[in-house]
Amino acid sequence: MQKITLLINCPDRKGIVTTITHYILQLSGNIVYLDQHVDRQESVFFMRLECEFESSEFSIPEFENQFAAKFKEDYKLTYQLYDALYRPNLALFVSKYDHCLYDLLGRYASGELPVEIPLIISNHRDLEIVAQRFNIPFKYIPVTKETKKQAEAEQIKSIQEHNIDLIVLARYMQIISDDFVANFKHQIINIHHSFLPAFIGAKPYHAAFERGVKIIGATSHYVTADLDEGPIIEQEIVRVSHVHSVQDFILKGRDLEKIVLARAIKAHIEHKVLVYGNKTVIFA
Amino acid sequence: MQKITLLINCPDRKGIVTTITHYILQLSGNIVYLDQHVDRQESVFFMRLECEFESSEFSIPEFENQFAAKFKEDYKLTYQLYDALYRPNLALFVSKYDHCLYDLLGRYASGELPVEIPLIISNHRDLEIVAQRFNIPFKYIPVTKETKKQAEAEQIKSIQEHNIDLIVLARYMQIISDDFVANFKHQIINIHHSFLPAFIGAKPYHAAFERGVKIIGATSHYVTADLDEGPIIEQEIVRVSHVHSVQDFILKGRDLEKIVLARAIKAHIEHKVLVYGNKTVIFA
Amino acid sequence: MQKITLLINCPDRKGIVTTITHYILQLSGNIVYLDQHVDRQESVFFMRLECEFESSEFSIPEFENQFAAKFKEDYKLTYQLYDALYRPNLALFVSKYDHCLYDLLGRYASGELPVEIPLIISNHRDLEIVAQRFNIPFKYIPVTKETKKQAEAEQIKSIQEHNIDLIVLARYMQIISDDFVANFKHQIINIHHSFLPAFIGAKPYHAAFERGVKIIGATSHYVTADLDEGPIIEQEIVRVSHVHSVQDFILKGRDLEKIVLARAIKAHIEHKVLVYGNKTVIFA
Amino acid sequence: MQKITLLINCPDRKGIVTTITHYILQLSGNIVYLDQHVDRQESVFFMRLECEFESSEFSIPEFENQFAAKFKEDYKLTYQLYDALYRPNLALFVSKYDHCLYDLLGRYASGELPVEIPLIISNHRDLEIVAQRFNIPFKYIPVTKETKKQAEAEQIKSIQEHNIDLIVLARYMQIISDDFVANFKHQIINIHHSFLPAFIGAKPYHAAFERGVKIIGATSHYVTADLDEGPIIEQEIVRVSHVHSVQDFILKGRDLEKIVLARAIKAHIEHKVLVYGNKTVIFA
């Protein structure tokens, strides 16, 4: 049995759900998941399908060719097709903060994240011990202003060697260059420790504390060329008050960062995130 | 029986709670509420007391003089003293949006807000009918770029005539001038329809929609010379997703605006808000 | 132009979205909203459609006959068909608490609820003045143990006279008899001031306070023969702590009751609620 | 430098904050934290103090004796005195679910929980590998209906050998006997995977799913002789809808269980939880 996940968006038109589902059905596909949404403002149609194919003759590449041939041009349709049974490879980038790392590795080790984690990359050695606890290869690649280009080249080389599907910046404190990002469109998820678009850049908890907000948040997003400006995947908040110091903001924030990053990663690996413009459609 | 509410802040020092509570006690005051907080970072002490005085000889002005004489200079203490039994006068400023107005008037009519509302001021006539439903005097004061100075003078005159203690901008769409604001330090509460400091200024729901946030919010704050920059009193959020249009953001946001504005007004009239720097201490 | 809202549920089967949408399309209907959900556990399909029909020849009763003839038996399909442009008539039942009443009437008066409110029924006279503020007919029908049967008969007579589509128990304190309920299946919405199924019955805030919960809630649900057991439509919560007295619980709870009741009413009048078993599917 | 944490409750009376703080001050104690609350309904005073003592002559046992002698009887005061610099020993009880275990061990390993974890006890062997990852002694103590008494005796023996201060039931699936509980008053924290008092006992997610709630929760509480009835320490919720299966409830619930258990443990080890009756005062 094979299973595919298909994400589609195209200009809205009459009968499109009918047409596409009928197409799957006549290929003897069994639709086990269908979610669709029409942005009526922009007249754009979005759909996510999970389809099972029993036949041993079914071939995902062939399906893709035929599907694209039939729909891509006529419907001006953009699609992403995934083997739903494939376990993606994640690379985690970390610096010195370990809370997100421990949270992700715990979820991974308990089977909650159906992924492989063949690689942890860091610009410091501090978290090597954490990688060792979980028997994950740790690569120390220091980064300075002068060595950034080479460091990133080395990172990219490792990523390619390990067939990495998703890069997770788990409180990685280095800014990723535009060149690096250009290699991985919608394949880098970052956790920013504020409720974007408030407090972009450095020390957001300190900035939030200064402003005297009553709520702090964390945001996970795809990394783009613009710092903290990429499509938002998930956000979460917690209330704060005058009794909380900056340190309290930071500690409370850490629990937000963990949950927001984890939810974003899960949505991504389940292929429930469709990026459109600078925004995301997150299927249920 | 008389009752006072006393808000205090001063540099922290040993024994201050002891000293002040002892002072009240030896005046035969009964402390029915005490909440205190020390900002250890800045070494600042904050306290709120509610005290009852049975004696017919107790005089609030006299108490104030003696309290100030004893503590103001020696402790470098800032205080605000209120007659806790006094019902404050509110003036509501509105434009065309009526949701906050209806919400506040409903709370007022049902006795939830222990205030008087002698005055509703508006730059449009549309909401006069709402004021009439609740038998509240409505003053139409149109505002244009050219007439702003006179309009504000007229507003101030009405405010003074009615002994207004608190001005509530209930989705009032005109920007208040610095001169106006200067007359009413920490006496003007505004509701801004975003989660500050994100999306300041006009059309915040549209901006939030553009950014693709997954959470929208509303913020109530004291109005200062800087637009949307004043001390935040309360914030609340609600989750949104790709299924929501800008109109949905606006409709969901209205329920936030109502509750956030109401909570801020309640906290203010109960004298639970202490402004320090550009932030607020909100006592329980 | 005519517009219908169609709610459907039936045993899941292949091609059902295709079939139904195709049916609408060949009648020249324009589907402006489609949301569907499959409960894979129970193999049940749910769908909500909003369809516009331009043709002056379109007739909703005819459409219903033909739709039923085609699908009802073959698909073992249950449906609800509504004229989407029809403004439903609401009857509000109240006792002495006025907070939900003021909240609903404010929303109604500001146009937020696209309904008519021809009738407010109460077992006390206290809230007649509120009805008068909003020019809504108020009917005082006292209820005692002995007179309950007659009182309910009088209520039903009024409801029928005014062609009431939805009965809202807005902190109405009398228990509705099974006989009464039997007349109005899924047409009575109640607000219960607890987070069901916790604290059913009387004085839930007191019970919550006794239990020392850290969160209180409110629940809106369809009234059935079993007290507080009907299908839940919406719930909301707020955090509480040791600093809050029972009275604080009650006051905080009132804001929850208002928002939860309003959301439920809106979902119902927009025909976004589908009751299945003792649960609800709430379409987006 | 020595530091104590003092939790106090007694019948409310005039000048009590004054008296106690003055007592500390004249012992040259430096009060670095003070939070107090008066339950005016029951006329009970609660206070939490953190005090530093520089003098090498200061002795915590001596302080306790003198404090008790001075206040215990006259003020009918109940107190708990802790060495604030002491790192408590935790024993974690687990069965087969590993999500809470991984979450706690991650927080412990990253230094977020200032505790020692000398012991993990389980009625299954499955999680031994997790204990090994974190180099924590794992004790397998199977439990059947017949062997329960001996199993608990063995557990208690281990707990005593390791000077355990707090027992954490981290999704431990065995019911603790009354005899066991009697040894550890307010020293056993359990995580129950529902929003108490709803859905006590087994399979709460299934029960929540059946009821069709729109919100699910988790609760941490001290274990008492009555199942799921002990004083609640913390609760948290997440919204659910018809699109969620029981399995989705369970997965979403796991993130709640982790955060609620962690918060409860932190509050406990920071001595911020005061149990009064069957409720808790949680100091800020």
Side-chain angles (χ1 to χ4, degrees):
Chain A
M1 195 267 283
Q2 296 181 80
K3 187 172 178 182
I4 61 167
T5 304
L6 183 57
L7 293 173
I8 285 163
N9 64 278
C10 63
D12 190 30
R13 58 196 277 176
K14 284 193 172 193
I16 193 169
V17 174
T18 306
T19 310
I20 293 180
T21 53
H22 182 71
Y23 179 79
I24 301 288
L25 289 170
Q26 49 91 0
L27 286 178
S28 300
N30 180 27
I31 298 175
V32 293
Y33 174 106
L34 184 159
D35 193 17
Q36 55 78 49
H37 167 68
V38 176
D39 182 330
R40 303 202 178 273
Q41 189 77 14
E42 305 221 2
S43 204
V44 179
F45 172 81
F46 302 93
M47 183 157 73
R48 178 181 185 274
L49 293 165
E50 278 179 33
C51 319
E52 290 173 343
F53 293 88
E54 297 289 335
S55 167
S56 51
E57 278 165 35
F58 179 78
S59 142
I60 296 183
E62 252 183 69
F63 172 86
E64 177 163 9
N65 289 341
Q66 290 164 10
F67 180 84
K70 185 164 173 69
F71 290 106
K72 203 173 168 196
E73 204 171 305
D74 284 359
Y75 284 69
K76 301 197 196 327
L77 180 150
T78 308
Y79 71 89
Q80 286 155 267
L81 177 63
Y82 301 98
D83 176 345
L85 302 175
Y86 168 73
R87 286 172 70 90
N89 294 313
L90 264 57
L92 309 181
F93 279 48
V94 293
S95 292
K96 292 195 178 194
Y97 293 117
D98 59 5
H99 56 284
C100 286
L101 181 60
Y102 265 119
D103 185 78
L104 290 176
L105 294 180
R107 294 172 189 268
Y108 158 73
S110 68
E112 182 190 322
L113 290 178
V115 300
E116 302 301 333
I117 304 183
L119 181 59
I120 294 174
I121 288 178
S122 182
N123 58 327
H124 294 280
R125 288 200 185 282
D126 305 55
L127 304 189
E128 180 157 26
I129 180 180
V130 183
Q132 284 166 350
R133 273 197 210 278
F134 290 85
N135 304 114
I136 294 172
F138 179 91
K139 209 166 158 68
Y140 167 58
I141 301 177
V143 180
T144 68
K145 213 168 182 176
E146 297 75 33
T147 65
K148 190 162 189 140
K149 242 181 151 63
Q150 300 94 290
E152 288 196 344
E154 203 181 333
Q155 292 168 348
I156 293 175
K157 185 155 163 290
S158 275
I159 288 163
Q160 287 166 344
E161 276 167 6
H162 290 83
N163 297 312
I164 296 301
D165 301 290
L166 176 67
I167 298 166
V168 175
L169 307 181
R171 288 308 303 272
Y172 182 65
M173 301 304 280
Q174 289 290 321
I175 293 177
I176 311 284
S177 75
D178 294 358
D179 287 338
F180 185 105
V181 173
N183 286 285
F184 304 106
K185 182 175 183 181
H186 304 152
Q187 278 183 294
I188 310 173
I189 291 178
N190 181 46
I191 178 69
H192 180 73
H193 40 312
S194 87
F195 177 65
L196 291 177
F199 313 122
I200 61 179
K203 291 189 171 293
Y205 290 127
H206 289 77
F209 183 78
E210 286 306 309
R211 184 61 185 92
V213 290
K214 300 299 178 181
I215 288 175
I216 57 171
T219 306
S220 51
H221 62 97
Y222 288 114
V223 176
T224 59
D226 307 299
L227 183 66
D228 298 332
E229 299 280 344
I232 291 170
I233 307 168
E234 170 66 331
Q235 295 180 293
E236 188 55 85
I237 63 98
V238 71
R239 298 193 67 94
V240 291
S241 79
H242 61 275
V243 307
H244 298 116
S245 62
V246 177
Q247 192 55 26
D248 291 323
F249 275 35
I250 291 171
L251 290 176
K252 280 173 168 285
R254 285 192 179 157
D255 279 336
L256 291 180
E257 295 163 35
K258 294 182 217 172
I259 190 72
V260 167
L261 183 56
R263 287 181 192 161
I265 291 169
K266 280 204 247 187
H268 178 96
I269 62 179
E270 288 171 14
H271 311 301
K272 291 189 169 177
V273 187
L274 192 160
V275 181
Y276 187 76
N278 199 42
K279 298 166 54 169
T280 58
V281 170
I282 314 280
F283 293 98
Chain B
M1 195 266 285
Q2 296 183 78
K3 187 171 176 184
I4 62 168
T5 303
L6 183 57
L7 293 173
I8 284 164
N9 64 278
C10 63
D12 190 31
R13 58 196 278 176
K14 284 191 173 197
I16 194 170
V17 173
T18 306
T19 310
I20 293 181
T21 53
H22 181 72
Y23 179 79
I24 301 289
L25 289 170
Q26 46 94 357
L27 286 177
S28 300
N30 181 27
I31 299 174
V32 293
Y33 174 106
L34 185 159
D35 193 17
Q36 57 78 49
H37 168 67
V38 174
D39 181 330
R40 303 202 178 274
Q41 189 77 15
E42 304 219 3
S43 205
V44 179
F45 171 81
F46 302 92
M47 183 157 73
R48 178 181 184 275
L49 292 165
E50 279 178 32
C51 319
E52 291 172 343
F53 293 88
E54 297 288 337
S55 168
S56 51
E57 278 164 36
F58 180 79
S59 142
I60 296 183
E62 251 184 68
F63 172 87
E64 178 163 10
N65 288 340
Q66 289 164 11
F67 180 83
K70 186 164 172 70
F71 291 106
K72 203 172 169 200
E73 206 172 305
D74 284 0
Y75 283 69
K76 300 196 197 328
L77 180 150
T78 308
Y79 71 89
Q80 287 155 265
L81 177 64
Y82 302 97
D83 175 345
L85 303 174
Y86 168 73
R87 284 172 70 90
N89 293 313
L90 263 58
L92 308 182
F93 278 46
V94 295
S95 291
K96 293 196 176 192
Y97 293 117
D98 59 5
H99 55 284
C100 286
L101 181 59
Y102 266 118
D103 185 79
L104 289 175
L105 293 180
R107 292 172 190 267
Y108 157 73
S110 67
E112 183 191 321
L113 290 179
V115 299
E116 301 301 332
I117 303 183
L119 182 58
I120 294 174
I121 288 178
S122 182
N123 58 325
H124 293 281
R125 289 202 185 282
D126 305 55
L127 303 189
E128 180 158 23
I129 179 178
V130 183
Q132 283 166 349
R133 272 197 210 281
F134 291 86
N135 302 115
I136 295 172
F138 179 91
K139 207 166 159 71
Y140 167 57
I141 301 177
V143 180
T144 69
K145 213 166 180 174
E146 298 74 33
T147 65
K148 189 161 189 143
K149 243 180 150 65
Q150 300 95 290
E152 287 195 346
E154 202 182 334
Q155 292 169 346
I156 293 175
K157 185 155 162 288
S158 274
I159 289 164
Q160 287 166 347
E161 277 167 8
H162 290 84
N163 296 313
I164 297 303
D165 300 291
L166 176 66
I167 298 166
V168 175
L169 307 181
R171 287 307 303 271
Y172 181 65
M173 300 306 280
Q174 289 289 323
I175 293 177
I176 312 283
S177 77
D178 293 359
D179 287 337
F180 185 105
V181 172
N183 286 286
F184 304 106
K185 182 176 182 181
H186 304 152
Q187 280 182 293
I188 309 172
I189 291 178
N190 181 45
I191 179 68
H192 181 73
H193 42 308
S194 87
F195 176 64
L196 290 176
F199 312 122
I200 62 180
K203 291 191 171 291
Y205 290 127
H206 290 77
F209 184 79
E210 286 306 309
R211 184 61 186 92
V213 289
K214 300 299 178 180
I215 288 176
I216 56 170
T219 306
S220 52
H221 63 97
Y222 288 115
V223 176
T224 59
D226 306 299
L227 183 66
D228 298 331
E229 298 281 343
I232 291 170
I233 307 169
E234 170 66 332
Q235 297 181 290
E236 189 54 84
I237 62 97
V238 71
R239 297 192 68 92
V240 291
S241 78
H242 62 275
V243 306
H244 299 115
S245 63
V246 177
Q247 192 54 27
D248 291 324
F249 276 36
I250 290 171
L251 291 176
K252 279 175 168 284
R254 286 193 179 156
D255 279 336
L256 290 181
E257 294 163 36
K258 294 182 217 171
I259 190 69
V260 168
L261 183 56
R263 286 182 193 161
I265 291 168
K266 280 203 246 188
H268 177 95
I269 62 179
E270 288 172 15
H271 311 302
K272 289 188 170 176
V273 187
L274 192 159
V275 181
Y276 186 76
N278 198 43
K279 298 167 53 168
T280 58
V281 170
I282 314 282
F283 292 97
Chain C
M1 194 267 285
Q2 296 183 78
K3 188 172 178 182
I4 61 168
T5 302
L6 182 57
L7 293 175
I8 285 162
N9 65 277
C10 63
D12 190 31
R13 59 196 277 174
K14 285 193 174 196
I16 192 169
V17 174
T18 306
T19 310
I20 294 181
T21 54
H22 181 73
Y23 179 80
I24 301 289
L25 290 171
Q26 47 93 355
L27 286 178
S28 300
N30 181 27
I31 299 175
V32 293
Y33 174 107
L34 183 160
D35 193 16
Q36 56 77 48
H37 168 67
V38 175
D39 181 331
R40 303 203 176 272
Q41 188 76 15
E42 304 220 3
S43 204
V44 179
F45 171 81
F46 302 93
M47 184 158 73
R48 177 181 186 275
L49 293 166
E50 280 178 31
C51 319
E52 291 172 342
F53 293 88
E54 297 289 335
S55 168
S56 51
E57 279 166 35
F58 180 79
S59 145
I60 296 182
E62 252 185 69
F63 171 87
E64 177 163 11
N65 289 341
Q66 289 164 12
F67 180 84
K70 185 163 173 71
F71 290 107
K72 203 172 168 196
E73 205 172 304
D74 284 359
Y75 283 69
K76 301 195 195 331
L77 179 149
T78 308
Y79 71 89
Q80 287 155 266
L81 177 63
Y82 302 97
D83 175 343
L85 302 175
Y86 169 73
R87 284 172 71 90
N89 293 314
L90 263 57
L92 308 182
F93 278 48
V94 294
S95 291
K96 293 195 176 193
Y97 293 117
D98 59 7
H99 55 284
C100 287
L101 181 60
Y102 265 119
D103 185 79
L104 290 176
L105 294 180
R107 293 172 189 268
Y108 158 72
S110 68
E112 184 191 321
L113 290 178
V115 300
E116 300 302 333
I117 304 183
L119 182 58
I120 293 174
I121 288 178
S122 182
N123 58 326
H124 293 280
R125 290 201 183 283
D126 305 55
L127 303 189
E128 180 157 25
I129 178 177
V130 184
Q132 285 166 349
R133 271 196 211 280
F134 290 86
N135 303 114
I136 295 173
F138 179 91
K139 206 165 159 72
Y140 167 58
I141 301 177
V143 180
T144 69
K145 213 168 181 173
E146 298 75 33
T147 65
K148 190 162 187 140
K149 244 180 151 63
Q150 300 94 290
E152 287 195 346
E154 203 182 333
Q155 291 169 347
I156 292 175
K157 185 155 163 288
S158 275
I159 288 164
Q160 288 165 346
E161 276 167 8
H162 290 85
N163 296 312
I164 297 303
D165 300 291
L166 176 67
I167 298 165
V168 175
L169 307 181
R171 286 309 302 271
Y172 181 66
M173 300 305 281
Q174 288 291 324
I175 292 176
I176 313 284
S177 76
D178 293 0
D179 287 339
F180 185 103
V181 173
N183 286 286
F184 305 106
K185 183 177 182 181
H186 303 152
Q187 279 182 295
I188 309 173
I189 291 178
N190 182 45
I191 179 67
H192 180 73
H193 42 309
S194 87
F195 177 65
L196 290 177
F199 312 123
I200 63 181
K203 292 189 170 294
Y205 290 126
H206 290 77
F209 183 78
E210 286 306 309
R211 183 61 185 92
V213 290
K214 301 298 178 181
I215 288 175
I216 57 171
T219 305
S220 51
H221 62 98
Y222 287 114
V223 176
T224 60
D226 306 301
L227 183 66
D228 298 331
E229 298 281 343
I232 291 170
I233 308 169
E234 170 66 331
Q235 297 181 290
E236 188 55 84
I237 62 98
V238 71
R239 296 193 69 92
V240 290
S241 79
H242 62 275
V243 306
H244 299 115
S245 63
V246 177
Q247 192 55 27
D248 291 324
F249 276 34
I250 291 171
L251 291 176
K252 279 174 168 284
R254 287 193 179 155
D255 279 337
L256 290 180
E257 295 163 36
K258 295 182 218 171
I259 190 69
V260 168
L261 183 57
R263 287 181 192 162
I265 291 168
K266 279 203 248 189
H268 178 95
I269 62 179
E270 288 172 15
H271 311 302
K272 289 189 169 175
V273 187
L274 192 160
V275 181
Y276 186 76
N278 198 43
K279 299 166 53 169
T280 59
V281 170
I282 314 281
F283 292 97
Chain D
M1 197 264 286
Q2 295 183 78
K3 188 172 177 183
I4 62 168
T5 304
L6 182 58
L7 293 173
I8 285 163
N9 65 276
C10 63
D12 190 30
R13 58 197 278 174
K14 284 192 172 196
I16 192 169
V17 173
T18 307
T19 309
I20 294 181
T21 53
H22 181 72
Y23 179 79
I24 302 288
L25 289 170
Q26 47 94 356
L27 286 179
S28 300
N30 181 27
I31 299 174
V32 292
Y33 174 107
L34 183 158
D35 193 16
Q36 55 78 51
H37 167 67
V38 175
D39 181 332
R40 302 201 179 274
Q41 189 78 15
E42 304 221 3
S43 204
V44 179
F45 171 81
F46 301 92
M47 183 157 73
R48 177 181 185 275
L49 292 165
E50 278 179 32
C51 319
E52 291 173 344
F53 293 87
E54 296 289 335
S55 168
S56 51
E57 279 165 35
F58 179 79
S59 144
I60 296 182
E62 253 184 69
F63 172 86
E64 177 163 10
N65 289 341
Q66 290 165 9
F67 181 83
K70 185 164 172 71
F71 291 106
K72 204 171 169 199
E73 206 171 304
D74 284 358
Y75 283 68
K76 300 195 196 330
L77 180 150
T78 307
Y79 72 90
Q80 284 155 269
L81 177 63
Y82 301 97
D83 176 344
L85 303 175
Y86 169 72
R87 285 172 70 89
N89 294 313
L90 265 56
L92 309 182
F93 279 47
V94 294
S95 292
K96 292 195 177 194
Y97 293 117
D98 58 5
H99 56 283
C100 286
L101 181 59
Y102 265 119
D103 184 79
L104 290 176
L105 293 179
R107 294 172 188 267
Y108 157 72
S110 68
E112 183 191 322
L113 290 178
V115 300
E116 302 300 333
I117 304 183
L119 181 59
I120 293 173
I121 288 178
S122 182
N123 58 326
H124 293 282
R125 289 202 184 283
D126 304 56
L127 304 189
E128 180 156 25
I129 179 178
V130 182
Q132 284 165 352
R133 272 197 210 280
F134 290 85
N135 303 114
I136 294 173
F138 179 92
K139 208 165 159 68
Y140 166 59
I141 302 177
V143 180
T144 68
K145 212 167 182 175
E146 297 74 33
T147 65
K148 190 165 188 133
K149 243 183 151 61
Q150 302 92 291
E152 288 195 345
E154 202 181 334
Q155 291 169 348
I156 291 176
K157 185 155 162 291
S158 275
I159 288 163
Q160 286 166 344
E161 277 167 6
H162 290 84
N163 296 313
I164 297 303
D165 300 291
L166 175 67
I167 298 166
V168 175
L169 307 181
R171 289 307 304 271
Y172 182 64
M173 301 304 280
Q174 289 290 324
I175 293 177
I176 311 284
S177 76
D178 294 358
D179 287 339
F180 185 105
V181 172
N183 285 287
F184 304 106
K185 182 175 182 182
H186 303 153
Q187 279 182 293
I188 310 173
I189 291 178
N190 181 46
I191 178 69
H192 181 74
H193 42 311
S194 87
F195 176 64
L196 290 177
F199 312 123
I200 61 179
K203 292 191 169 292
Y205 290 127
H206 290 77
F209 183 78
E210 286 306 308
R211 183 61 186 93
V213 290
K214 301 299 178 182
I215 288 176
I216 56 171
T219 306
S220 52
H221 63 97
Y222 287 115
V223 175
T224 59
D226 307 300
L227 184 66
D228 298 331
E229 300 279 345
I232 291 170
I233 307 169
E234 170 66 332
Q235 296 180 292
E236 188 55 84
I237 63 98
V238 72
R239 298 192 67 93
V240 291
S241 78
H242 62 274
V243 306
H244 298 115
S245 62
V246 177
Q247 192 54 27
D248 291 324
F249 276 35
I250 291 171
L251 290 176
K252 279 175 167 283
R254 285 193 180 155
D255 279 337
L256 291 180
E257 295 164 34
K258 293 181 219 171
I259 190 70
V260 168
L261 183 56
R263 287 182 193 160
I265 291 169
K266 277 202 249 189
H268 178 95
I269 62 179
E270 287 170 17
H271 310 302
K272 289 188 170 177
V273 186
L274 193 158
V275 181
Y276 187 76
N278 198 44
K279 298 166 55 169
T280 58
V281 169
I282 313 280
F283 292 97

